[in-house]
Amino acid sequence: MERGNFGSKIGAVLASAGSAVGLGNIWRFPTECGSNGGAAFILIYLMCVFFLAMPVMVAEFVIGRSSHSNVVGSYRVLAPGKPWVVSGFMGVLAGFLVLSYYSVVAGWTLDYTCESLVGNLMSGSDFGQHFNDFVSSPWRPALFLTVFLLLTHYVVATGVEKGIERYSKIMMPLLLLIIFVLAAFSLTMPNAMEGLRFLLTPDFSKVTKDVVISAMGQAFFSLSVGMGTLATYASYFNKETRLFSSAVGVCTIDTLVAVSAGFIIFPAVFSVGVSADSGPGLVFITLPYVFQEAFGGVPVLEYIFSGLFYVLLLLAALTSSISMHEICTAYIHETFKLSRPKAATIVTALCLLMGIACSLSFGLWKEVTVMGKGFFDLFDFITAKFLMPLGGLLICTFVGWDMNKKLVAQELDSRFTPLLMVLFSWVAPIGIGIIFIYGLISG
Ligand code: PFF
């Protein structure tokens, strides 16, 4: 079967960075940072990125590019008959589960984008009430979730070069530009320095074992590693793409965007004097309020700032959801020899059903729980606490210990290969293993 390919190196890096940069950077990172000690969290986060998540990313690149196959097929090519293939199935399952609940928040983002563009989020609303009424209603979130999934579907069904690469090349630079404009806006607000100080002064008294677990979870989620997303993308890389430097590029872009999101949110939040650790509602309740307070006197500015912000969030969500969809689509397309659009339709339909179940867990199905959790929290729990770290552990261990050393060295083709081998074989598996087990024990 003819396989797609990214036509250029920059396309490959932008698509991978598009997968990494998402709601996790703009919605989750500032919240985690706010409640876990500001700069102290950032320092631990950076260590998790460098020693744990980045090695998994490089290992995924090695697996994908050397096998030229989807995440399940790659283990069948590289280690036929061995049980590593389980890690591939875990990746496909994780792709389905994350995409299902991620699309719910992405659907909220789409709704807020439309509302801010028609001026509905302008001064005068009770934003807490507005948000709660919206997420607990059965129809509206489901409708926006459906539209969002159809957008994702369209890009994936269009193909690797004409769909994923082409749209990443348009959306990523646009996203970086919007971030830059918004951060500049935010930093010039009165009292902005307070917010910067909060972001940049470490408070080590807040650092506990739980903060380390959160930092690793955030690093994995934010860099899209541990599920085989990047292995799938790397299977479309050409021979000239340098794996290590591409990974460094993706990690750098992702971290810069996360920290810049902090530069947008905290100066604005401090400027109007609201709490910095107000949980996931930060983006949908606190920020509209911040926009209103900050620009209440000049509606045009409020309109521009909030409109740009939600467009930014939407673009980020879309480039990430495309990559999750692609893990599942590539698997079905290649394994069952279905056409790409047909495989993508199966993925979209299944995710739509599971996504609606997640969405209803905020309202009508609030009482429906498994292990004490609604579907949304359950899918988040299974993937973030279990499938992603375990997947990362297996991926590194496979490349460090079982994969043909010559092939790994040939794929890496870097003077850092010996260092990377130590990271794959020892540092990452041991570090991830300890944090993973502690996370499971502490619930
Ligand atoms: N990295 C994405 C974010 O930060 O929002 C989320 C994500 C995408 C996780 C793709 C996992 C994945 F496979």
Side-chain angles (χ1 to χ4, degrees):
M1 187 183 292
E2 183 71 24
R3 281 196 106 242
N5 248 320
F6 288 129
S8 62
K9 274 192 260 181
I10 183 76
V13 172
L14 284 181
S16 310
S19 168
V21 173
L23 295 171
N25 300 60
I26 301 161
W27 174 56
R28 208 160 175 261
F29 182 83
T31 314
E32 292 276 318
C33 198
S35 43
N36 286 323
F41 177 81
I42 300 186
L43 282 181
I44 298 172
Y45 174 80
L46 288 179
M47 284 172 56
C48 290
V49 167
F50 187 78
F51 290 110
L52 308 179
M54 202 247 314
V56 181
M57 183 183 287
V58 182
E60 286 203 22
F61 281 172
V62 168
I63 292 175
R65 206 209 9 216
S66 59
S67 64
H68 287 295
S69 184
N70 65 80
V71 63
V72 172
S74 56
Y75 291 102
R76 296 204 165 120
V77 172
L78 298 172
K82 293 194 183 165
W84 293 109
V85 70
V86 172
S87 158
F89 285 116
M90 277 170 43
V92 175
L93 176 65
F96 267 118
L97 296 180
V98 180
L99 182 57
S100 303
Y101 79 79
Y102 197 86
S103 305
V104 174
V105 184
W108 299 348
T109 309
L110 182 58
D111 175 275
Y112 270 60
T113 308
C114 298
E115 288 200 60
S116 66
L117 292 181
V118 296
N120 236 7
L121 282 187
M122 302 285 267
S123 308
S125 317
D126 175 346
F127 296 115
Q129 186 71 32
H130 180 89
F131 179 68
N132 289 330
D133 288 349
F134 166 62
V135 298
S136 58
S137 75
W139 295 111
R140 215 178 139 95
L143 174 71
F144 281 92
L145 156 78
T146 309
V147 176
F148 180 81
L149 269 174
L150 289 178
L151 286 175
T152 308
H153 174 90
Y154 169 75
V155 176
V156 173
T158 311
V160 175
E161 191 173 350
K162 291 213 180 84
I164 301 175
E165 181 173 2
R166 191 169 95 199
Y167 289 102
S168 300
K169 274 179 163 167
I170 301 171
M171 289 194 273
M172 284 309 285
L174 193 59
L175 183 147
L176 295 176
L177 180 74
I178 298 179
I179 290 213
F180 184 68
V181 172
L182 287 179
F185 232 143
S186 195
L187 285 172
T188 51
M189 290 170 78
N191 230 0
M193 287 308 131
E194 276 291 303
L196 268 196
R197 208 165 299 130
F198 171 79
L199 197 61
L200 300 177
T201 321
D203 177 0
F204 285 105
S205 69
K206 289 223 171 128
V207 176
T208 59
K209 285 185 203 133
D210 290 339
V211 172
V212 179
I213 296 175
S214 301
M216 182 175 93
Q218 174 62 21
F220 271 52
F221 187 82
S222 186
L223 291 171
S224 310
V225 297
M227 303 172 19
T229 319
L230 297 174
T232 306
Y233 271 11
S235 72
Y236 309 126
F237 285 6
N238 58 24
K239 273 216 201 68
E240 285 72 46
T241 303
R242 313 285 303 210
L243 300 188
F244 180 56
S245 52
S246 302
V248 171
V250 174
C251 291
T252 310
I253 296 178
D254 189 73
T255 307
L256 283 180
V257 171
V259 175
S260 309
F263 278 9
I264 296 172
I265 291 174
F266 290 117
V269 161
F270 274 78
S271 176
V272 296
V274 294
S275 158
D277 57 356
S278 46
L282 189 69
V283 160
F284 297 105
I285 301 173
T286 314
L287 280 187
Y289 171 71
V290 167
F291 300 149
Q292 170 187 321
E293 281 296 299
F295 305 115
V298 196
V300 178
L301 282 184
E302 185 186 342
Y303 183 79
I304 296 178
F305 200 102
S306 66
L308 274 183
F309 182 81
Y310 289 109
V311 169
L312 162 73
L313 205 59
L314 185 65
L315 289 177
L318 196 54
T319 50
S320 297
S321 64
I322 290 168
S323 71
M324 293 177 233
H325 200 295
E326 178 62 22
I327 320 178
C328 309
T329 299
Y331 165 67
I332 295 179
H333 168 53
E334 289 172 4
T335 311
F336 302 103
K337 311 273 180 285
L338 290 179
S339 69
R340 175 172 268 278
K342 272 198 192 131
T345 306
I346 294 175
V347 177
T348 305
L350 284 177
C351 283
L352 190 58
L353 288 180
M354 299 203 293
I356 288 177
C358 291
S359 179
L360 289 177
S361 69
F362 287 92
L364 225 52
W365 286 6
K366 216 178 209 145
E367 309 305 326
V368 185
T369 57
V370 181
M371 288 157 44
K373 293 182 182 352
F375 287 113
F376 185 98
D377 292 334
L378 181 72
F379 289 4
D380 180 31
F381 176 80
I382 298 176
T383 47
K385 283 259 171 156
F386 194 72
L387 291 177
M388 289 177 96
L390 188 59
L393 185 72
L394 292 175
I395 287 166
C396 270
T397 312
F398 172 64
V399 175
W401 293 96
D402 198 47
M403 204 175 146
N404 180 317
K405 298 264 170 319
K406 256 205 199 128
L407 184 56
V408 177
Q410 192 183 315
E411 284 296 334
L412 288 173
D413 188 21
S414 156
R415 63 198 155 103
F416 295 107
T417 300
L419 170 71
L420 285 166
M421 286 313 286
V422 174
L423 289 173
F424 296 148
S425 320
W426 298 101
V427 180
I430 294 175
I432 299 169
I434 293 174
I435 303 178
F436 170 58
I437 290 169
Y438 185 82
L440 282 187
I441 296 171
S442 65

